[in-house]
Amino acid sequence: MNGFWRERAVLITGASSGIGRALALELGRHGARVGLFARRAEALEAVAAAITAAGGAALVLPGDVTELAHLTSAVARMDTEWGGVDVLVANAGVARPRDPFDPEAVAALMAVNFQGAVNAVGAVLPVMQRRGRGHLVAISSLASVRGFPQGPAYSASKAALSTYFEALRVRLRPYGIAVTTVHPGFVDTEMTQGAGRLPFMVTAERAAVIIRRGMERGKSTVNFPWPAVLAMGLVRRLPDGLFDRLVGRVPPRQD
Ligand SMILES: NC(=O)c1ccc[n+]([C@@H]2O[C@H](COP(=O)([O-])OP(=O)(O)OC[C@H]3O[C@@H](n4cnc5c(N)ncnc54)[C@H](OP(=O)(O)O)[C@@H]3O)[C@@H](O)[C@H]2O)c1
């Protein structure tokens, strides 16, 4: 435990399960005040109860990231209760619907993974600009490095997210606002349930510790776990023909 997080107000989208939940508990333990945003209010209540039981502070902020008004209300509530938002973690994400040939399915996925993060940034930015400080964090994915045929829309949504946040990093630096993009490999959460054994998978708790440390150091990118980062570094450099043959061997998930 260090003093870095003491009384910092952190808004986490997708805090009801998986990485978002684990990060909320991790930051709460380190003294942060955590705004918990997601659609499942009951699950958020349980996370808030665990944080307060450990001596931390949390606000339950039920909402959908595809609705900008839900996010602006959540930010207004944090502003009233805690005087602003110091850190946004745009973590809410989905891997379904998977059908890459159904335009409505692709739009629905993009609406959460990309536009949902854009909405969260839009909601917190006026508060951060008013104060001349802040930290935006996006939970992207190593799946953003190339177009994986097992999840074309998912890969595209994460590539869009990483590119957007990289550009924001440069645009917002003069305003005192830092930007971090996180690229996890496989993490054991609801999203990966039923997928069997996945290479180099880490627990959500381990992911939360790595993300917290990266945020404390103000890193521009946080990529983990290292064996997956190395593998994806190679995959990124593969010539198209070899990439097509290798990734084409892995069948797409049908669920
Ligand atoms: N698991 C992995 O292997 C992995 C790898 C790389 C990156 N990631 C990324 O990590 C992030 C967290 O995923 P996870 O693995 O922790 O999966 P998860 O356990 O399924 O968590 C997803 C979270 O997003 C929330 N969410 C989904 N749609 C939402 C919406 N419309 N509005 C508000 N919240 C919404 C969910 O809450 P509600 O259902 O309550 O709304 C839930 O809290 C995602 O962005 C994912 O793409 C995951």
Side-chain angles (χ1 to χ4, degrees):
M1 171 120 167
N2 55 44
F4 181 89
W5 294 100
R6 190 170 302 281
E7 307 216 330
R8 270 183 209 236
V10 185
L11 172 59
I12 303 180
T13 69
S16 58
S17 65
I19 298 170
R21 175 182 181 278
L23 188 61
L25 294 170
E26 173 74 10
L27 298 185
R29 245 194 317 275
H30 279 75
R33 299 187 282 202
V34 196
L36 307 166
F37 187 96
R39 293 165 303 176
R40 285 172 290 174
E42 270 184 28
L44 295 181
E45 295 285 359
V47 180
I51 291 173
T52 48
L59 277 178
V60 170
L61 307 164
D64 188 321
V65 289
T66 65
E67 300 286 343
L68 178 58
H70 294 183
L71 284 155
T72 48
S73 302
V75 170
R77 176 97 195 279
M78 286 180 70
D79 208 6
T80 306
E81 301 275 343
W82 295 333
V85 178
D86 298 296
V87 184
L88 164 70
V89 183
N91 161 77
V94 288
R96 298 181 187 83
R98 293 192 201 273
D99 186 351
F101 307 114
D102 174 356
E104 283 182 11
V106 174
L109 188 141
M110 290 296 286
V112 179
N113 291 8
F114 180 64
Q115 190 61 43
V118 173
N119 287 345
V121 170
V124 297
L125 214 49
V127 177
M128 290 185 176
Q129 283 180 317
R130 185 187 77 212
R131 304 162 101 204
R133 64 186 157 87
H135 191 172
L136 305 176
V137 180
I139 309 299
S140 181
S141 168
L142 287 178
S144 64
V145 306
R146 281 193 90 153
F148 289 96
Q150 293 75 23
Y154 184 77
S155 269
S157 71
K158 293 300 184 179
L161 186 64
S162 295
T163 307
Y164 179 72
F165 270 73
E166 179 171 57
L168 289 194
R169 188 175 76 230
V170 185
R171 281 286 287 267
L172 293 173
R173 186 168 290 136
Y175 301 95
I177 297 167
V179 177
T180 299
T181 312
V182 181
H183 297 103
F186 291 120
V187 183
D188 189 5
T189 67
E190 287 177 18
M191 189 177 275
T192 44
Q193 256 167 34
R197 259 177 69 92
L198 294 167
F200 313 122
M201 183 128 91
V202 298
T203 64
E205 290 69 29
R206 180 72 195 134
V209 170
I210 294 168
I211 295 167
R212 171 181 60 75
R213 289 185 182 147
M215 289 163 68
E216 287 170 6
R217 289 174 195 145
K219 293 181 86 168
S220 53
T221 54
V222 177
N223 307 329
F224 66 92
W226 68 264
V229 175
L230 276 184
M232 283 303 177
L234 291 173
V235 167
R236 192 205 296 265
R237 287 168 188 79
L238 283 178
D240 290 347
L242 199 51
F243 173 79
D244 296 1
R245 277 202 297 282
L246 279 177
V247 305
R249 283 188 192 158
V250 185
R253 283 178 66 182
Q254 298 302 338
D255 57 332

